[in-house]
């Protein structure tokens, strides 16, 4: 299959919300066993620094209920779960994800850490209204079938004064850098996919999902539409990565 045919195939697979949900679940199911190693290789370990920054920006406090949505193998939950050494003690950390094999890896890693694991779809969260203090989403927004619907769900489950912090790939400026970065992602994704899984499509998906993702500035606007206030974004590495944040009004 040529590179162009592969791009077209991935685009066709993620064109409707239902198809995208199934495609994404299948993909993460296939790559779960080497997901963490591939992340370290593709970001030269930097994703760990960005994740710690995202957790700091969530301003987690004692007794907070923290939701790590699209938790995958649980990096963010593990950072939050270790919070007592950082001076705060959350009352509950819930790691929620659609893909069971990702969570199985996470469970193996989390050991004694006080993290509860929950299989669910971000489009329809099984939490009562105003029951969560902080929500973190690491590299999840880009994968959701309907971003607006997920942000409305998060607004619903967060308490007044609650905070949402997300970390994901972004779109860089200027445009030449954005184009170059997308090409880099395609190439490095193909290599990583082949080395790790003998499958170049798995990580080519990152670049394709990013092409249809509204990215950091539009995500801030979508958060406002969903009812968050003080929404904004912080660019990392010239905007190739970004953290978005927003608060629920008191
Ligand atoms: C790139 S991984 C991120 C994992 C982890 N948060 C991290 O930062 O390393 C994306 C995760 O989003 C999950 N996901 C995708 N669509 C989802 C949905 N509709 N509901 C819940 N989780 C979803 C996938 O199963 C996958 O584990």
């Amino acid at each position: 299959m040529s590179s162009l045919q592969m791009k077209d195939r991935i685009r066709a697979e993620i064109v409707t919300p239902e198809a995208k949900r199934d495609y994404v679940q299948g993909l993460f199911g296939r790559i779960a066993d080497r997901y963490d190693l591939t992340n370290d290789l593709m970001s030269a370990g930097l994703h760990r620094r960005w994740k710690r920054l995202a957790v700091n920006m969530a301003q987690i406090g004692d007794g907070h209920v923290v939701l790590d949505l699209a938790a995958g193998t649980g990096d963010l939950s593990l950072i939050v779960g270790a919070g007592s050494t950082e001076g705060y003690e959350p009352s509950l950390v819930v790691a929620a994800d659609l893909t069971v094999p990702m969570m199985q890896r996470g469970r193996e890693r989390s050991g004694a850490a006080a993290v509860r694991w929950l299989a669910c779809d971000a489009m329809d969260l099984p939490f009562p209204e105003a029951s969560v203090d902080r929500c973190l989403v690491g590299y999840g927004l880009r994968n959701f079938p309907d971003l607006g619907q997920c942000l409305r769900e998060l607004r619903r489950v967060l308490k007044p004064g609650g905070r949402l912090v997300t970390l994901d790939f972004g779109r860089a400026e200027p445009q030449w850098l954005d184009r170059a970065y997308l090409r880099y992602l395609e190439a490095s994704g193909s290599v990583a996919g082949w080395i790790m899984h003998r499958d170049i499509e798995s990580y080519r998906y990152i670049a394709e999902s990013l092409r249809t993702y509204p990215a950091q500035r539009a995500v801030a606007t979508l958060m406002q539409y969903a009812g968050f206030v003080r929404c904004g974004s912080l660019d990392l590495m010239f905007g190739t990565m970004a953290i978005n944040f927003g608060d629920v009004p008191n």
Side-chain angles (χ1 to χ4, degrees), residues 29-55:
R30 288 198 301 279
I31 65 173
D33 58 338
R34 294 196 168 175
Y35 174 80
D36 295 315
L37 178 60
T38 313
N39 259 357
D40 280 335
L41 290 178
M42 283 185 74
S43 74
L46 284 171
H47 72 106
R48 297 183 183 281
R49 186 185 298 176
W50 301 325
K51 284 171 179 166
R52 276 195 300 275
L53 178 60
V55 171

PDB file of all heavy atoms in Angstrom, residues 29-55:
ATOM      1  N   GLY A  29      -5.677  -1.099  21.456  1.00  0.00           N
ATOM      2  CA  GLY A  29      -5.631  -2.488  21.898  1.00  0.00           C
ATOM      3  C   GLY A  29      -4.415  -3.210  21.332  1.00  0.00           C
ATOM      4  O   GLY A  29      -3.752  -3.985  22.014  1.00  0.00           O
ATOM      5  N   ARG A  30      -4.090  -2.883  20.065  1.00  0.00           N
ATOM      6  CA  ARG A  30      -2.951  -3.554  19.404  1.00  0.00           C
ATOM      7  C   ARG A  30      -1.602  -3.076  19.936  1.00  0.00           C
ATOM      8  O   ARG A  30      -0.652  -3.849  20.011  1.00  0.00           O
ATOM      9  CB  ARG A  30      -2.987  -3.289  17.880  1.00  0.00           C
ATOM     10  CG  ARG A  30      -4.072  -4.025  17.130  1.00  0.00           C
ATOM     11  CD  ARG A  30      -3.763  -4.047  15.634  1.00  0.00           C
ATOM     12  NE  ARG A  30      -3.644  -2.725  15.043  1.00  0.00           N
ATOM     13  CZ  ARG A  30      -4.651  -1.950  14.661  1.00  0.00           C
ATOM     14  NH1 ARG A  30      -5.899  -2.356  14.835  1.00  0.00           N
ATOM     15  NH2 ARG A  30      -4.443  -0.766  14.101  1.00  0.00           N
ATOM     16  N   ILE A  31      -1.521  -1.788  20.284  1.00  0.00           N
ATOM     17  CA  ILE A  31      -0.190  -1.254  20.635  1.00  0.00           C
ATOM     18  C   ILE A  31       0.046  -1.163  22.140  1.00  0.00           C
ATOM     19  O   ILE A  31       1.120  -0.717  22.570  1.00  0.00           O
ATOM     20  CB  ILE A  31       0.044   0.141  20.001  1.00  0.00           C
ATOM     21  CG1 ILE A  31      -0.930   1.191  20.582  1.00  0.00           C
ATOM     22  CG2 ILE A  31      -0.058   0.074  18.488  1.00  0.00           C
ATOM     23  CD1 ILE A  31      -0.638   2.606  20.117  1.00  0.00           C
ATOM     24  N   ALA A  32      -0.943  -1.598  22.950  1.00  0.00           N
ATOM     25  CA  ALA A  32      -0.868  -1.394  24.407  1.00  0.00           C
ATOM     26  C   ALA A  32       0.440  -1.901  25.021  1.00  0.00           C
ATOM     27  O   ALA A  32       1.039  -1.230  25.862  1.00  0.00           O
ATOM     28  CB  ALA A  32      -2.055  -2.075  25.090  1.00  0.00           C
ATOM     29  N   ASP A  33       0.908  -3.078  24.560  1.00  0.00           N
ATOM     30  CA  ASP A  33       2.053  -3.683  25.251  1.00  0.00           C
ATOM     31  C   ASP A  33       3.332  -2.876  25.101  1.00  0.00           C
ATOM     32  O   ASP A  33       4.221  -2.966  25.942  1.00  0.00           O
ATOM     33  CB  ASP A  33       2.250  -5.145  24.799  1.00  0.00           C
ATOM     34  CG  ASP A  33       2.450  -5.254  23.302  1.00  0.00           C
ATOM     35  OD1 ASP A  33       2.036  -4.317  22.566  1.00  0.00           O
ATOM     36  OD2 ASP A  33       3.031  -6.248  22.849  1.00  0.00           O
ATOM     37  N   ARG A  34       3.436  -2.075  24.019  1.00  0.00           N
ATOM     38  CA  ARG A  34       4.684  -1.313  23.857  1.00  0.00           C
ATOM     39  C   ARG A  34       4.430   0.195  23.820  1.00  0.00           C
ATOM     40  O   ARG A  34       5.302   0.966  23.390  1.00  0.00           O
ATOM     41  CB  ARG A  34       5.389  -1.750  22.583  1.00  0.00           C
ATOM     42  CG  ARG A  34       5.845  -3.177  22.695  1.00  0.00           C
ATOM     43  CD  ARG A  34       6.831  -3.516  21.668  1.00  0.00           C
ATOM     44  NE  ARG A  34       7.446  -4.788  21.973  1.00  0.00           N
ATOM     45  CZ  ARG A  34       8.294  -5.388  21.186  1.00  0.00           C
ATOM     46  NH1 ARG A  34       8.630  -4.847  20.045  1.00  0.00           N
ATOM     47  NH2 ARG A  34       8.821  -6.534  21.533  1.00  0.00           N
ATOM     48  N   TYR A  35       3.259   0.585  24.254  1.00  0.00           N
ATOM     49  CA  TYR A  35       2.891   2.009  24.198  1.00  0.00           C
ATOM     50  C   TYR A  35       3.881   2.878  24.985  1.00  0.00           C
ATOM     51  O   TYR A  35       4.369   3.902  24.483  1.00  0.00           O
ATOM     52  CB  TYR A  35       1.467   2.181  24.740  1.00  0.00           C
ATOM     53  CG  TYR A  35       1.048   3.622  24.871  1.00  0.00           C
ATOM     54  CD1 TYR A  35       0.606   4.343  23.761  1.00  0.00           C
ATOM     55  CD2 TYR A  35       1.131   4.281  26.095  1.00  0.00           C
ATOM     56  CE1 TYR A  35       0.249   5.676  23.875  1.00  0.00           C
ATOM     57  CE2 TYR A  35       0.777   5.612  26.208  1.00  0.00           C
ATOM     58  CZ  TYR A  35       0.332   6.301  25.103  1.00  0.00           C
ATOM     59  OH  TYR A  35      -0.008   7.624  25.216  1.00  0.00           O
ATOM     60  N   ASP A  36       4.209   2.490  26.205  1.00  0.00           N
ATOM     61  CA  ASP A  36       5.061   3.333  27.056  1.00  0.00           C
ATOM     62  C   ASP A  36       6.465   3.480  26.474  1.00  0.00           C
ATOM     63  O   ASP A  36       7.014   4.586  26.422  1.00  0.00           O
ATOM     64  CB  ASP A  36       5.141   2.740  28.475  1.00  0.00           C
ATOM     65  CG  ASP A  36       3.789   2.760  29.157  1.00  0.00           C
ATOM     66  OD1 ASP A  36       3.099   3.797  29.074  1.00  0.00           O
ATOM     67  OD2 ASP A  36       3.407   1.728  29.741  1.00  0.00           O
ATOM     68  N   LEU A  37       7.004   2.370  26.007  1.00  0.00           N
ATOM     69  CA  LEU A  37       8.353   2.402  25.437  1.00  0.00           C
ATOM     70  C   LEU A  37       8.380   3.299  24.193  1.00  0.00           C
ATOM     71  O   LEU A  37       9.285   4.115  24.012  1.00  0.00           O
ATOM     72  CB  LEU A  37       8.775   0.963  25.087  1.00  0.00           C
ATOM     73  CG  LEU A  37      10.132   0.784  24.429  1.00  0.00           C
ATOM     74  CD1 LEU A  37      11.229   1.319  25.342  1.00  0.00           C
ATOM     75  CD2 LEU A  37      10.382  -0.712  24.143  1.00  0.00           C
ATOM     76  N   THR A  38       7.348   3.159  23.343  1.00  0.00           N
ATOM     77  CA  THR A  38       7.308   3.957  22.114  1.00  0.00           C
ATOM     78  C   THR A  38       7.202   5.444  22.449  1.00  0.00           C
ATOM     79  O   THR A  38       7.846   6.287  21.812  1.00  0.00           O
ATOM     80  CB  THR A  38       6.124   3.528  21.226  1.00  0.00           C
ATOM     81  OG1 THR A  38       6.114   2.108  21.152  1.00  0.00           O
ATOM     82  CG2 THR A  38       6.229   4.110  19.837  1.00  0.00           C
ATOM     83  N   ASN A  39       6.401   5.794  23.460  1.00  0.00           N
ATOM     84  CA  ASN A  39       6.289   7.190  23.892  1.00  0.00           C
ATOM     85  C   ASN A  39       7.635   7.745  24.297  1.00  0.00           C
ATOM     86  O   ASN A  39       7.996   8.864  23.935  1.00  0.00           O
ATOM     87  CB  ASN A  39       5.385   7.262  25.137  1.00  0.00           C
ATOM     88  CG  ASN A  39       3.998   7.720  24.790  1.00  0.00           C
ATOM     89  OD1 ASN A  39       3.713   8.042  23.652  1.00  0.00           O
ATOM     90  ND2 ASN A  39       3.138   7.747  25.777  1.00  0.00           N
ATOM     91  N   ASP A  40       8.366   6.960  25.062  1.00  0.00           N
ATOM     92  CA  ASP A  40       9.690   7.421  25.514  1.00  0.00           C
ATOM     93  C   ASP A  40      10.614   7.641  24.324  1.00  0.00           C
ATOM     94  O   ASP A  40      11.333   8.634  24.254  1.00  0.00           O
ATOM     95  CB  ASP A  40      10.315   6.392  26.480  1.00  0.00           C
ATOM     96  CG  ASP A  40       9.764   6.524  27.888  1.00  0.00           C
ATOM     97  OD1 ASP A  40       9.306   7.621  28.248  1.00  0.00           O
ATOM     98  OD2 ASP A  40       9.786   5.520  28.624  1.00  0.00           O
ATOM     99  N   LEU A  41      10.562   6.713  23.365  1.00  0.00           N
ATOM    100  CA  LEU A  41      11.455   6.838  22.207  1.00  0.00           C
ATOM    101  C   LEU A  41      11.063   8.029  21.339  1.00  0.00           C
ATOM    102  O   LEU A  41      11.908   8.832  20.948  1.00  0.00           O
ATOM    103  CB  LEU A  41      11.403   5.559  21.357  1.00  0.00           C
ATOM    104  CG  LEU A  41      12.046   4.321  21.982  1.00  0.00           C
ATOM    105  CD1 LEU A  41      11.891   3.118  21.058  1.00  0.00           C
ATOM    106  CD2 LEU A  41      13.526   4.574  22.260  1.00  0.00           C
ATOM    107  N   MET A  42       9.752   8.162  21.047  1.00  0.00           N
ATOM    108  CA  MET A  42       9.322   9.206  20.110  1.00  0.00           C
ATOM    109  C   MET A  42       9.492  10.608  20.686  1.00  0.00           C
ATOM    110  O   MET A  42       9.689  11.565  19.946  1.00  0.00           O
ATOM    111  CB  MET A  42       7.880   8.979  19.654  1.00  0.00           C
ATOM    112  CG  MET A  42       7.772   7.879  18.605  1.00  0.00           C
ATOM    113  SD  MET A  42       6.105   7.704  17.947  1.00  0.00           S
ATOM    114  CE  MET A  42       5.968   9.128  16.882  1.00  0.00           C
ATOM    115  N   SER A  43       9.403  10.744  22.019  1.00  0.00           N
ATOM    116  CA  SER A  43       9.519  12.098  22.599  1.00  0.00           C
ATOM    117  C   SER A  43      10.860  12.278  23.312  1.00  0.00           C
ATOM    118  O   SER A  43      11.047  13.287  23.995  1.00  0.00           O
ATOM    119  CB  SER A  43       8.379  12.339  23.595  1.00  0.00           C
ATOM    120  OG  SER A  43       8.595  11.607  24.799  1.00  0.00           O
ATOM    121  N   ALA A  44      11.750  11.296  23.169  1.00  0.00           N
ATOM    122  CA  ALA A  44      13.035  11.324  23.902  1.00  0.00           C
ATOM    123  C   ALA A  44      12.779  11.534  25.397  1.00  0.00           C
ATOM    124  O   ALA A  44      13.531  12.259  26.069  1.00  0.00           O
ATOM    125  CB  ALA A  44      13.941  12.411  23.331  1.00  0.00           C
ATOM    126  N   GLY A  45      11.717  10.942  25.889  1.00  0.00           N
ATOM    127  CA  GLY A  45      11.419  11.011  27.324  1.00  0.00           C
ATOM    128  C   GLY A  45      10.744  12.310  27.764  1.00  0.00           C
ATOM    129  O   GLY A  45      10.335  12.442  28.922  1.00  0.00           O
ATOM    130  N   LEU A  46      10.599  13.273  26.839  1.00  0.00           N
ATOM    131  CA  LEU A  46      10.073  14.585  27.243  1.00  0.00           C
ATOM    132  C   LEU A  46       8.610  14.547  27.690  1.00  0.00           C
ATOM    133  O   LEU A  46       8.163  15.404  28.445  1.00  0.00           O
ATOM    134  CB  LEU A  46      10.205  15.580  26.079  1.00  0.00           C
ATOM    135  CG  LEU A  46      11.614  16.104  25.834  1.00  0.00           C
ATOM    136  CD1 LEU A  46      11.677  16.889  24.534  1.00  0.00           C
ATOM    137  CD2 LEU A  46      12.053  16.978  27.002  1.00  0.00           C
ATOM    138  N   HIS A  47       7.861  13.539  27.209  1.00  0.00           N
ATOM    139  CA  HIS A  47       6.436  13.498  27.584  1.00  0.00           C
ATOM    140  C   HIS A  47       6.278  13.431  29.097  1.00  0.00           C
ATOM    141  O   HIS A  47       5.293  13.919  29.646  1.00  0.00           O
ATOM    142  CB  HIS A  47       5.713  12.329  26.888  1.00  0.00           C
ATOM    143  CG  HIS A  47       6.062  10.975  27.424  1.00  0.00           C
ATOM    144  ND1 HIS A  47       5.204  10.254  28.200  1.00  0.00           N
ATOM    145  CD2 HIS A  47       7.189  10.233  27.308  1.00  0.00           C
ATOM    146  CE1 HIS A  47       5.787   9.110  28.528  1.00  0.00           C
ATOM    147  NE2 HIS A  47       6.976   9.068  27.997  1.00  0.00           N
ATOM    148  N   ARG A  48       7.268  12.864  29.775  1.00  0.00           N
ATOM    149  CA  ARG A  48       7.162  12.775  31.244  1.00  0.00           C
ATOM    150  C   ARG A  48       7.207  14.160  31.873  1.00  0.00           C
ATOM    151  O   ARG A  48       6.460  14.451  32.796  1.00  0.00           O
ATOM    152  CB  ARG A  48       8.296  11.916  31.812  1.00  0.00           C
ATOM    153  CG  ARG A  48       8.214  10.511  31.318  1.00  0.00           C
ATOM    154  CD  ARG A  48       9.233   9.581  31.880  1.00  0.00           C
ATOM    155  NE  ARG A  48       9.028   8.303  31.242  1.00  0.00           N
ATOM    156  CZ  ARG A  48       8.060   7.452  31.592  1.00  0.00           C
ATOM    157  NH1 ARG A  48       7.276   7.745  32.598  1.00  0.00           N
ATOM    158  NH2 ARG A  48       7.907   6.327  30.937  1.00  0.00           N
ATOM    159  N   ARG A  49       8.075  15.033  31.347  1.00  0.00           N
ATOM    160  CA  ARG A  49       8.163  16.398  31.862  1.00  0.00           C
ATOM    161  C   ARG A  49       6.848  17.148  31.599  1.00  0.00           C
ATOM    162  O   ARG A  49       6.332  17.842  32.459  1.00  0.00           O
ATOM    163  CB  ARG A  49       9.326  17.107  31.161  1.00  0.00           C
ATOM    164  CG  ARG A  49       9.594  18.480  31.719  1.00  0.00           C
ATOM    165  CD  ARG A  49      10.652  19.201  30.956  1.00  0.00           C
ATOM    166  NE  ARG A  49      11.948  18.533  30.988  1.00  0.00           N
ATOM    167  CZ  ARG A  49      13.021  18.967  30.314  1.00  0.00           C
ATOM    168  NH1 ARG A  49      12.942  20.030  29.558  1.00  0.00           N
ATOM    169  NH2 ARG A  49      14.163  18.337  30.405  1.00  0.00           N
ATOM    170  N   TRP A  50       6.298  17.000  30.372  1.00  0.00           N
ATOM    171  CA  TRP A  50       5.061  17.712  30.033  1.00  0.00           C
ATOM    172  C   TRP A  50       3.902  17.213  30.896  1.00  0.00           C
ATOM    173  O   TRP A  50       3.031  17.980  31.296  1.00  0.00           O
ATOM    174  CB  TRP A  50       4.716  17.526  28.551  1.00  0.00           C
ATOM    175  CG  TRP A  50       5.797  18.023  27.640  1.00  0.00           C
ATOM    176  CD1 TRP A  50       6.604  19.112  27.844  1.00  0.00           C
ATOM    177  CD2 TRP A  50       6.217  17.445  26.394  1.00  0.00           C
ATOM    178  NE1 TRP A  50       7.487  19.233  26.800  1.00  0.00           N
ATOM    179  CE2 TRP A  50       7.273  18.243  25.899  1.00  0.00           C
ATOM    180  CE3 TRP A  50       5.792  16.343  25.656  1.00  0.00           C
ATOM    181  CZ2 TRP A  50       7.907  17.964  24.699  1.00  0.00           C
ATOM    182  CZ3 TRP A  50       6.423  16.062  24.456  1.00  0.00           C
ATOM    183  CH2 TRP A  50       7.469  16.859  23.989  1.00  0.00           C
ATOM    184  N   LYS A  51       3.902  15.929  31.191  1.00  0.00           N
ATOM    185  CA  LYS A  51       2.817  15.383  32.024  1.00  0.00           C
ATOM    186  C   LYS A  51       2.907  15.934  33.445  1.00  0.00           C
ATOM    187  O   LYS A  51       1.906  16.284  34.057  1.00  0.00           O
ATOM    188  CB  LYS A  51       2.856  13.844  32.010  1.00  0.00           C
ATOM    189  CG  LYS A  51       2.306  13.284  30.707  1.00  0.00           C
ATOM    190  CD  LYS A  51       2.530  11.789  30.553  1.00  0.00           C
ATOM    191  CE  LYS A  51       1.919  11.309  29.237  1.00  0.00           C
ATOM    192  NZ  LYS A  51       2.344   9.972  28.838  1.00  0.00           N
ATOM    193  N   ARG A  52       4.122  16.032  33.989  1.00  0.00           N
ATOM    194  CA  ARG A  52       4.267  16.610  35.341  1.00  0.00           C
ATOM    195  C   ARG A  52       3.798  18.059  35.343  1.00  0.00           C
ATOM    196  O   ARG A  52       3.127  18.509  36.273  1.00  0.00           O
ATOM    197  CB  ARG A  52       5.725  16.510  35.807  1.00  0.00           C
ATOM    198  CG  ARG A  52       6.057  15.150  36.436  1.00  0.00           C
ATOM    199  CD  ARG A  52       7.356  15.200  37.208  1.00  0.00           C
ATOM    200  NE  ARG A  52       8.481  15.562  36.360  1.00  0.00           N
ATOM    201  CZ  ARG A  52       9.179  14.693  35.622  1.00  0.00           C
ATOM    202  NH1 ARG A  52       8.888  13.411  35.662  1.00  0.00           N
ATOM    203  NH2 ARG A  52      10.173  15.084  34.866  1.00  0.00           N
ATOM    204  N   LEU A  53       4.119  18.788  34.265  1.00  0.00           N
ATOM    205  CA  LEU A  53       3.680  20.187  34.175  1.00  0.00           C
ATOM    206  C   LEU A  53       2.153  20.265  34.151  1.00  0.00           C
ATOM    207  O   LEU A  53       1.545  21.097  34.841  1.00  0.00           O
ATOM    208  CB  LEU A  53       4.281  20.820  32.903  1.00  0.00           C
ATOM    209  CG  LEU A  53       3.902  22.263  32.611  1.00  0.00           C
ATOM    210  CD1 LEU A  53       4.340  23.194  33.749  1.00  0.00           C
ATOM    211  CD2 LEU A  53       4.552  22.725  31.296  1.00  0.00           C
ATOM    212  N   ALA A  54       1.521  19.385  33.366  1.00  0.00           N
ATOM    213  CA  ALA A  54       0.047  19.377  33.296  1.00  0.00           C
ATOM    214  C   ALA A  54      -0.543  19.108  34.678  1.00  0.00           C
ATOM    215  O   ALA A  54      -1.510  19.767  35.097  1.00  0.00           O
ATOM    216  CB  ALA A  54      -0.431  18.340  32.284  1.00  0.00           C
ATOM    217  N   VAL A  55       0.022  18.148  35.401  1.00  0.00           N
ATOM    218  CA  VAL A  55      -0.492  17.836  36.746  1.00  0.00           C
ATOM    219  C   VAL A  55      -0.317  19.049  37.666  1.00  0.00           C
ATOM    220  O   VAL A  55      -1.234  19.420  38.406  1.00  0.00           O
ATOM    221  CB  VAL A  55       0.199  16.582  37.335  1.00  0.00           C
ATOM    222  CG1 VAL A  55      -0.164  16.398  38.801  1.00  0.00           C
ATOM    223  CG2 VAL A  55      -0.196  15.339  36.539  1.00  0.00           C
TER     224      VAL A  55
END
